Amino acid sequence: MSYQPPLEYHQQPPRPGTRGLGAGITSIVAAVLSPVAAVVSVPLGIAAVASAMSRFNEGNDAWWIGALAFAALAVALAIVAVVCGLIAVFRAGRMNAGRITGIVGLSIMAVNVFGVAFMVILVLGSGQAG
């Protein structure tokens, strides 16, 4: 007869170190897509200015709506990248895949933040000219 330890004696196996990985990956994806949306908004803003200056095209606000929608998308993605990066870093607790991806997402957004802000301000400024 073999000895069976009590049921409370058994411990759970250690969990793999992936806490915060989903938030870190979301941060990286949002940090990469944010400047793409901002870059798309700039030509739409230029087209809106050109459309407003044209005497043949009266009352066409579709360019402005598109430019402002992409500028708002760029800002929203930048916010998502920062929030998800911070969640990944603080949720991980120790250096694991979640914390590393969160740090990478935050660093990508740190490089992109001034470019995204410049492009959004450029689009909003072009709206004042029209």
Side-chain angles (χ1 to χ4, degrees):
M1 182 152 140
S2 66
Y3 171 72
Q4 292 284 343
L7 191 58
E8 295 84 26
Y9 180 77
H10 294 289
Q11 294 180 353
Q12 294 290 331
R15 295 176 58 195
T18 58
R19 289 184 55 149
L21 183 61
I25 291 171
T26 304
S27 174
I28 291 173
V29 170
V32 169
L33 291 179
S34 178
V36 173
V39 166
V40 170
S41 71
V42 171
L44 290 175
I46 292 171
V49 169
S51 175
M53 291 172 57
S54 173
R55 61 182 174 172
F56 302 113
N57 199 5
E58 296 173 6
N60 187 3
D61 291 333
W63 294 110
W64 289 120
I65 293 170
L68 292 176
F70 275 105
L73 179 66
V75 170
L77 285 171
I79 292 170
V80 166
V82 170
V83 169
C84 287
L86 291 174
I87 289 172
V89 167
F90 289 118
R91 182 172 163 85
R94 57 186 171 88
M95 193 55 77
N96 61 9
R99 181 169 276 191
I100 292 170
T101 55
I103 291 170
V104 168
L106 287 172
S107 63
I108 291 171
M109 202 57 233
V111 170
N112 292 338
V113 72
F114 294 112
V116 170
F118 174 73
M119 287 182 240
V120 169
I121 290 171
L122 185 66
V123 168
L124 295 176
S126 67
Q128 301 296 324

